[in-house]
Amino acid sequence: MCIALAGCSSISLFKEGEGGEDVVKQFLSAVAKDDSDKARACLVNPSEYESLTTVAKRLGMDEEKTKKFTDQYTSIKYSIEKSVKGNDASRSTVMVFMTVPDYSAAFAKGISETNNGMNSGQALKVIIEKMADTKPETVNKAVAVSVVKSGEDWLIDYSNNNIELVNAINGNVLNALHGGLAI
């Protein structure tokens, strides 16, 4: 699971339609369909994204549990509001309202069930299985998605500029890591 620290770019005026809405819509649509290839195509650095369901499959979670987890994980809803143009023409922030599954409690419970004798893969499997066994509540998030211009295309800078997005599409798990901070 890719979790990165982030900061926001400097924001000036709200101007609708300034850029980046389409790539954000494409990315979130791909995440909601669990289409990692399409999601990665929307990113500055595609290798930074791996869906939780891909992680679950790679860790060997059984097929039935993986399907249940996929159905829950991909239940995100979103509406793209508007763009906020950055200080230069190559940066923009797209404001998105999202409803996502909240796995923060299950994630914290999974962490508490790991032990020092486990390798990282074993520990991650315990955590992901705990999340898959949970019927999560949902949480509403206002997310500022940082996008950058790459040639003629807008791409999402998924690394250090989108902690809110990373948290939202990963089931709000960063809240568990940060002691319940509102991220």
Side-chain angles (χ1 to χ4, degrees):
M1 173 169 27
C2 175
I3 298 177
L5 299 177
C8 288
S9 62
S10 179
I11 297 174
S12 59
L13 302 172
F14 276 97
K15 293 183 182 178
E16 235 174 301
E18 282 298 325
E21 295 98 339
D22 287 342
V23 74
V24 172
K25 181 179 180 181
Q26 290 168 13
F27 177 74
L28 293 174
S29 176
V31 169
K33 293 175 183 167
D34 200 30
D35 187 336
S36 292
D37 292 334
K38 285 186 181 176
R40 284 187 193 105
C42 299
L43 304 178
V44 171
N45 186 352
S47 66
E48 293 175 336
Y49 176 77
E50 185 173 31
S51 76
L52 289 176
T53 57
T54 301
V55 172
K57 290 172 188 173
R58 183 173 36 85
L59 292 171
M61 195 161 64
D62 74 59
E63 193 173 316
E64 183 180 320
K65 196 176 277 192
T66 300
K67 167 113 175 67
K68 177 183 163 195
F69 184 53
T70 301
D71 292 345
Q72 292 173 171
Y73 169 72
T74 59
S75 67
I76 67 169
K77 307 267 186 276
Y78 61 91
S79 69
I80 296 176
E81 296 304 310
K82 51 175 87 172
S83 295
V84 181
K85 186 173 170 101
N87 285 339
D88 66 58
S90 67
R91 297 196 171 275
S92 184
T93 302
V94 179
M95 304 304 295
V96 182
F97 292 105
M98 298 177 70
T99 302
V100 299
D102 185 0
Y103 286 111
S104 58
F107 185 82
K109 178 80 171 145
I111 289 173
S112 73
E113 293 179 5
T114 63
N115 63 56
N116 291 339
M118 295 179 165
N119 66 37
S120 61
Q122 292 167 326
L124 189 54
K125 185 175 181 184
V126 167
I127 294 166
I128 295 287
E129 285 182 340
K130 182 57 67 179
M131 291 167 63
D133 288 338
T134 302
K135 174 68 175 143
E137 298 292 322
T138 59
V139 62
N140 296 316
K141 297 276 188 188
V143 179
V145 181
S146 178
V147 295
V148 295
K149 192 83 164 185
S150 176
E152 293 297 313
D153 299 322
W154 287 99
L155 296 173
I156 298 170
D157 183 4
Y158 192 71
S159 62
N160 292 330
N161 290 316
N162 280 304
I163 194 72
E164 296 166 341
L165 177 63
V166 171
N167 183 49
I169 67 165
N170 283 295
N172 207 35
V173 298
L174 293 182
N175 282 17
L177 293 174
H178 293 285
L181 294 176
I183 294 180

